[in-house]
Amino acid sequence: MRLTRTSVIVAVIGVVLLVAAAVVRFVVLPSVNKLGSDFSTSQSYQGTYSGLNPAVLAGNPSGGVLVRNIPAAATRKYAVTSTDGDTAVVAQTVTRAIGGQDQPTPTAHYAIDRVDFGSVPAPSGATDVVPSKGLIFTLPQHPSTSTTYQLWDPTTAAAYPLKYVSTSTVAGRTTYDYRTTASGKIADPASLGLPVSLPKAQLTALAPSLAGLLPPAVLTQLSSVLAKLPASIPLSYTSTTTATISADATLGSPLKTASTQEVTAQLGPIAALAVPFSTLKLTTTAASSKATADDTAGTVSQLNLVGTVLPIALAVLGIVLVVVALLLARRAAARQPGGPSPAPQQGTSTPTPV
């Protein structure tokens, strides 16, 4: 074997391509595969609201004290505000409108792992991060159908089991459907526009109008205890939310969510007196599901390119060039002076007659 300039150049290019394949697969892919510092996503929802008219609590009783199935809309947005190694701080902003009336827009910050998207401790120096557990806004890539995940519920500030129930299709993409039920005391009623106290006079005035909302036994109990309540009645709330999340089977992104939230109010020191407050039903809009599905498809294609197609193409081309270099070296060795000579052919002689 004789190395020529051409064979050396071809071999070097082949080795460089093999190294590049390894770099793309084991260095570039992990970098692309985690949550980016410029990540931002949002989904829009629409549905209905039934219960106590929010306008009444705002001092505008037009439209009646109780409303049923009036239009409701919401948008939930997540955006990375900072990163620290494999930890990202993500801001969650929720906007809602009920019957055309805008509700408070709470924003909360969470620290999550940029690879598996689970909750992690806040980075050093981060002071506005809400302690959390479980998943915040997405499932991990290639979500499991046998694992019971934990999903964070910001309303009650707790995590609840998220279990696989079926497989379906959303906007042309295969999804795994998961279901969860979050039930507990509302952690911050004020951030949701819920009053933390109610003047006794206002409750007394509302009592006759609550007949359509309260069971007869509760209504009777309310009438009997009004005289014993203080002038300003403290309120607390419980929330029960049942949700089904259709997550992309490859990337884990939620493409569609349908939820029903029931809120109940507890009046002051009378723990047994619970008043149904509202029922809010929301489902991801078709347009929003389609937009998220398109973004997800683009991300999956990019990851396939970086993680599979490009490394294989570089590796195959590199191997081919190395083989070509070896063949060129062998061919040059066969041609060089003093190199192996072809064996002489054995001729066939004709016998000489005696």
Side-chain angles (χ1 to χ4, degrees), residues 189-208:
S191 69
L192 301 178
L194 299 173
V196 294
S197 64
L198 188 67
K200 179 179 176 178
Q202 186 176 9
L203 179 59
T204 303
L206 290 175

Side-chain angles (χ1 to χ4, degrees), residues 94 96 103-104 106 154-155 186-195 239 261 263:
V94 180
R96 294 193 306 169
Q103 303 298 301
T155 301
I186 294 181
D188 186 4
S191 69
L192 301 178
L194 299 173
S239 168
Q261 181 188 39
V263 173

Side-chain angles (χ1 to χ4, degrees), residues 26 52 145 201 206 300 331 352:
F26 299 107
L52 192 65
T145 58
L206 290 175
V300 170
R331 185 176 178 182
T352 301

Side-chain angles (χ1 to χ4, degrees), residues 35 39-41 76-82 88-94 106-112 128-129 136-137:
L35 197 65
F39 172 82
S40 177
T41 186
R76 185 178 286 111
K77 179 180 179 180
Y78 296 92
V80 171
T81 59
S82 65
V89 174
V90 177
Q92 177 201 61
T93 303
V94 180
T107 297
H109 294 81
Y110 300 98
I112 67 170
D128 59 348
V129 175
I136 300 297
F137 69 94

Side-chain angles (χ1 to χ4, degrees), residues 170-251:
V170 175
R173 293 195 61 81
T174 300
T175 59
Y176 294 149
D177 301 334
Y178 298 84
R179 187 164 295 155
T180 184
T181 297
S183 184
K185 184 177 179 179
I186 294 181
D188 186 4
S191 69
L192 301 178
L194 299 173
V196 294
S197 64
L198 188 67
K200 179 179 176 178
Q202 186 176 9
L203 179 59
T204 303
L206 290 175
S209 302
L210 297 177
L213 183 65
L214 301 178
V218 175
L219 192 61
T220 301
Q221 185 183 11
L222 177 61
S223 300
S224 65
V225 300
L226 274 176
K228 302 176 184 179
L229 293 175
S232 180
I233 307 168
L235 300 176
S236 61
Y237 302 86
T238 57
S239 168
T240 298
T241 302
T242 301
T244 299
I245 300 172
S246 298
D248 187 80
T250 301
L251 204 61

Side-chain angles (χ1 to χ4, degrees), residues 333-352:
R335 291 179 175 178
Q336 71 178 351
S341 300
Q345 295 184 351
Q346 297 293 329
T348 302
S349 59
T350 304
T352 301

Side-chain angles (χ1 to χ4, degrees), residues 299-326:
T299 300
V300 170
S301 296
Q302 181 185 16
L303 293 177
N304 285 338
L305 174 65
V306 176
T308 303
V309 176
L310 190 55
I312 290 178
L314 291 172
V316 169
L317 184 56
I319 291 172
V320 169
L321 290 180
V322 170
V323 171
V324 169
L326 293 175

Side-chain angles (χ1 to χ4, degrees), residues 39-46 73-79 92-96 137-138 170-171 175 244-248 252-259 282-296:
F39 172 82
S40 177
T41 186
S42 66
Q43 277 199 340
S44 298
Y45 309 84
Q46 58 184 200
T75 300
R76 185 178 286 111
K77 179 180 179 180
Y78 296 92
Q92 177 201 61
T93 303
V94 180
T95 60
R96 294 193 306 169
F137 69 94
T138 184
V170 175
T175 59
T244 299
I245 300 172
S246 298
D248 187 80
S253 304
L255 304 186
K256 181 180 179 180
T257 299
S259 66
L282 293 173
T283 302
T284 308
T285 65
S288 190
S289 289
K290 178 66 166 55
T292 305
D294 290 345
D295 290 343
T296 298

